[in-house]
Amino acid sequence: MLVYLNGKLVPKEEAKVSVFDHGFLYGDGVFEGIRIYNGRIFKLREHIERLFYSALAIALEPPLTQDELVEATIETVRANNLRDGYIRIVISRGEGDLGLDPQKCKSPNVVIIADKIAIYPPEVYHNGMKIITVSTRRNSPQALNPNIKSLNYLNNILAKIEANRANVPEAIMLSIDGYVAEATGDNIFIVKNRRLITPPLYLGALPGITRQTVIELAEKRGIQTEEKTFTLYEVYTADECFLTGTAAEIVPVVEVDGRKIGKGIPGDITLLLMEDFHQYVKEEGVEVYK
Ligand code: PXG
């Protein structure tokens, strides 16, 4: 495996950064997770754009342009000869001293890893997923905005630990005010009376690229999406529920906190959108091998 590190493709074993990198010391940095389907990088521009917004929000100036990063990402995938897989891009603050001050970090580190992806077992997609609501609340946007995809994922990891202890693969996180925000690494949708409802981003959710794709695919089917605040009551009484994310794609949710959602099987609209999504990923995306 070859890893992109600051402009060079190096063997995995040589892809190393300093322990004084503030990404390591403080979680000071940003990242993206991107899929490769059928030799195409899915929504590459959108991911790079989100990465740059995350960087802007933490006043981290990437040492290369969006176009250069797009090219570097394509190059990394090509060098590893991948047709299907997962890309992780990381821009960390870079090497500094032991103090917090990011001004001491003169050059950000840029890493691109392209690898195979571990996904949920097929049963999850056929039978649906059982999840819980965790007690860890999503970071308040007033404190640390979850719109920033930063290297500081402890909020989500604390939620994931609760999910692990309950033996479920994902979990709902509520906002500070108790509204449904998102899952630990996925966005959430419910279906009520053939309309999609998803939490607004200001509640503290990542502007998911899969979320946006699902909204657009639904629109093409004449299914409206409403972004509005809702509580667990709306989840428990929903007709359908599903999660969206780069790794998860669209996962039907059939049980939340021990309560069956709808009929307790993946819903019709969920299944329709899953089908549309699978078709779409084959066609969309930046071709790596031309
Ligand atoms: N919310 C959060 C908090 C995320 O981290 C999503 C939603 C979905 O966004 P996209 O753009 O992917 O549709 C994410 C992204 C993992 C893992 O290992 C998941 C993400 C990132 C890194 C790791 O589950 N998901």
Side-chain angles (χ1 to χ4, degrees), residues 77-89:
V77 173
R78 204 181 284 142
N80 287 284
N81 213 13
L82 283 164
R83 289 199 66 84
D84 290 275
Y86 185 78
I87 303 162
R88 172 63 51 93
I89 306 180

Side-chain angles (χ1 to χ4, degrees), residues 183-194:
T184 71
D186 296 299
N187 291 106
I188 186 166
F189 284 81
I190 54 173
V191 180
K192 189 74 180 176
N193 300 325
R194 303 192 68 77

Side-chain angles (χ1 to χ4, degrees), residues 89-165:
I89 306 180
V90 178
I91 307 181
S92 68
R93 187 75 66 182
E95 194 173 333
D97 63 18
L98 291 179
L100 268 183
D101 192 353
Q103 287 183 96
K104 303 274 172 64
C105 309
K106 296 301 177 202
S107 48
N109 278 313
V110 181
V111 173
I112 309 172
I113 307 167
D115 201 358
K116 296 257 174 284
I117 181 168
I119 41 177
Y120 291 127
E123 303 88 76
V124 168
Y125 296 92
H126 291 136
N127 307 331
M129 188 183 270
K130 296 177 181 179
I131 64 174
I132 60 161
T133 309
V134 289
S135 64
T136 303
R137 294 295 173 99
R138 195 70 177 101
N139 276 332
S140 161
Q142 284 79 22
L144 176 61
N145 200 315
N147 285 195
I148 306 167
K149 201 165 168 63
S150 84
L151 293 183
N152 212 306
Y153 249 51
L154 272 179
N155 181 225
N156 314 61
I157 289 163
L158 290 178
K160 193 77 170 184
I161 288 167
E162 288 189 71
N164 286 346
R165 295 200 169 168

Side-chain angles (χ1 to χ4, degrees), residues 31 50 149 153 156 182 184-187 206 208-210 245-246:
F31 78 103
R50 185 172 68 185
K149 201 165 168 63
Y153 249 51
N156 314 61
E182 62 176 336
T184 71
D186 296 299
N187 291 106
L206 189 80
I209 284 159
T210 320
T246 291

